[in-house]
């Protein structure tokens, strides 16, 4: 069994335009996902808005540059994640396809050395 990180990417502008009904349904959908896949889940969480992000980069001289904002400017930003355990990538993808993401999509990556 390996561990996989399922990163949930969303368009925050679409969420900002939501009247709350999509958010409420999405919360219910995540609860249903967790109940249906509880045996595979090893962790997860929702991230705060990308406006709260702070990025740290090496300055190439042994120091760091700290900036407000996400690492890369994109339309969709990581809004949450799950850590799942699956027999192989195919099983991980089958689970990840069930992750609710009405304003974006998900990315799946194996954790190195089993996390």
């Amino acid at each position: 069994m390996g561990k996989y990180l399922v990163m949930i990417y969303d368009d925050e502008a679409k969420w900002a335009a939501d009247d709350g009904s999509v958010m409420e349904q999405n919360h219910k959908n995540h609860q249903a996902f967790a109940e249906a896949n509880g045996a595979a889940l090893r962790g997860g969480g929702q991230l705060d808005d990308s406006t709260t992000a702070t990025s740290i980069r090496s300055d190439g001289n042994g120091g760091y540059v700290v900036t407000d904002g996400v690492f890369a400017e994109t339309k969709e930003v990581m809004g949450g994640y799950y850590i799942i355990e699956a027999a192989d990538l195919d099983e991980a993808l089958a689970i990840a396809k069930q992750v609710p993401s009405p304003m974006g999509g998900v990315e799946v990556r194996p954790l190195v050395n089993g996390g």
Side-chain angles (χ1 to χ4, degrees), residues 65-96:
V65 176
V66 179
T67 56
D68 291 337
V70 294
F71 191 76
E73 289 190 36
T74 62
K75 182 177 178 181
E76 294 177 340
V77 296
M78 190 168 145
Y81 66 95
Y82 286 106
I83 297 173
I84 60 172
E85 192 166 53
D88 55 27
L89 180 60
D90 289 335
E91 183 179 346
L93 294 176
I95 294 168

Side-chain angles (χ1 to χ4, degrees), residues 14-106:
K14 289 181 179 178
W15 281 116
D18 174 40
D19 65 3
S21 61
V22 176
M23 178 68 82
E24 182 179 334
Q25 184 59 50
N26 193 51
H27 181 70
K28 291 176 184 176
N29 291 345
H30 276 279
Q31 287 177 321
F33 168 80
E35 289 172 14
N37 294 283
L41 294 180
R42 297 297 174 262
Q46 180 180 357
L47 301 177
D48 205 343
D49 291 338
S50 65
T51 58
T52 66
T54 303
S55 297
I56 302 170
R57 297 176 183 180
S58 169
D59 68 4
N61 296 314
Y64 298 92
V65 176
V66 179
T67 56
D68 291 337
V70 294
F71 191 76
E73 289 190 36
T74 62
K75 182 177 178 181
E76 294 177 340
V77 296
M78 190 168 145
Y81 66 95
Y82 286 106
I83 297 173
I84 60 172
E85 192 166 53
D88 55 27
L89 180 60
D90 289 335
E91 183 179 346
L93 294 176
I95 294 168
K97 287 176 183 177
Q98 301 172 55
V99 173
S101 184
M103 305 292 188
V106 301

